[in-house]
Amino acid sequence: MSEAFLKGYRALDLTGLSGQLCGRILADLGMEVIKIEPPGGDPVRNLAPFIRSAEGKLLSTTFAHLNAGKASKVLDLAKEADRDEFRKLVAASDVMLESFQPGEMDAKGMGYKDLATLNPALVMASITPFGQTGPKKNLACNDLVALAQSGFLYISGDASLPPCKPPEVQAYYFASLFAAAGVLAALYRGERTGRGDHVDSSMQETLATQEHI
């Protein structure tokens, strides 16, 4: 059997729904991915559709699909003790994935610059609607807003009818896919330089790459 492409690498996944496909892709490629969940479990576990386990428990198929192949660890990052444990994990990991609002991780002392002091080789990928900089970075946004802001809705559906929203949450998936590609590029460069990087994946920008269709 051939060896997994990313065997030996470890990622910490702090993402919500908008970024969890990124970790799934990395896990499929052989990376060890640890999903960091808050007490009570990740909110995506509450999303339909559900199936019922043999024990009668309702299980989210959305969560199962986006997090297949990942391990799980519960940490309350509002508590200093758990933040310390998280920092120890960062020091022993290669990648961190997050989808918080720009500046939120910095406010907690867990932004890229903070974590790079613990692990200079760390690759951090941030998945957000409009990226880490610019006038729109803090705007409220969901999948539909990102599709509209990128121009993607203009080319969606029959030209003689109103715009048609693509199925599922394509804005989240496109940004996650591009983030995974960015992580691979950063790891490749890091093998030669010993330095990590901060991958900034914007839903608006990644969707805009499809407007030529």
Side-chain angles (χ1 to χ4, degrees):
M1 294 179 65
S2 60
E3 189 167 303
F5 178 52
L6 294 179
K7 183 178 180 181
Y9 289 97
R10 174 191 284 175
L12 305 177
D13 187 349
L14 275 71
T15 62
L17 177 63
S18 60
Q20 289 179 9
L21 181 64
C22 180
R24 164 67 193 266
I25 293 170
L26 297 178
D28 285 348
L29 293 173
M31 188 178 291
E32 177 192 4
V33 181
I34 303 174
K35 182 74 186 78
I36 305 297
E37 301 193 54
D42 190 285
V44 179
R45 289 184 181 274
N46 299 318
L47 296 182
F50 298 98
I51 58 172
R52 196 173 293 276
S53 70
E55 295 78 23
K57 184 178 180 180
L58 286 177
L59 303 174
S60 167
T61 58
T62 300
F63 182 87
H65 169 66
L66 294 175
N67 294 282
K70 303 178 187 178
S72 177
K73 184 173 182 62
V74 175
L75 289 176
D76 185 352
L77 296 181
K79 295 181 178 179
E80 186 59 36
D82 282 13
R83 287 200 295 272
D84 286 342
E85 187 173 355
F86 175 72
R87 292 185 184 101
K88 292 177 182 177
L89 286 172
V90 168
S93 299
D94 305 285
V95 176
M96 194 187 82
L97 312 173
E98 63 92 11
S99 59
F100 294 99
Q101 282 289 104
E104 190 170 342
M105 293 293 285
D106 292 311
K108 295 178 179 179
M110 296 189 298
Y112 175 68
K113 290 182 179 179
D114 298 300
L115 299 182
T117 62
L118 302 173
N119 183 354
L122 181 71
V123 173
M124 177 171 166
S126 297
I127 300 167
T128 58
F130 301 105
Q132 297 296 300
T133 59
K136 296 182 179 180
K137 67 177 183 178
N138 289 317
L139 291 182
C141 185
N142 58 17
D143 174 72
L144 181 59
V145 172
L147 287 164
Q149 286 284 314
S150 68
F152 195 88
L153 280 184
Y154 183 77
I155 60 170
S156 298
D158 191 310
S160 65
L161 298 173
C164 176
K165 180 185 179 301
E168 278 279 354
V169 282
Q170 297 298 316
Y172 300 164
Y173 293 164
F174 268 88
S176 292
L177 177 62
F178 274 66
V183 166
L184 296 181
L187 289 174
Y188 177 73
R189 189 181 71 168
E191 288 182 350
R192 293 175 293 153
T193 65
R195 306 295 299 181
D197 208 343
H198 188 185
V199 177
D200 183 5
S201 182
S202 157
M203 296 174 201
Q204 182 188 38
E205 289 185 346
T206 57
L207 285 166
T209 64
Q210 305 304 303
E211 287 190 42
H212 65 281
I213 296 175

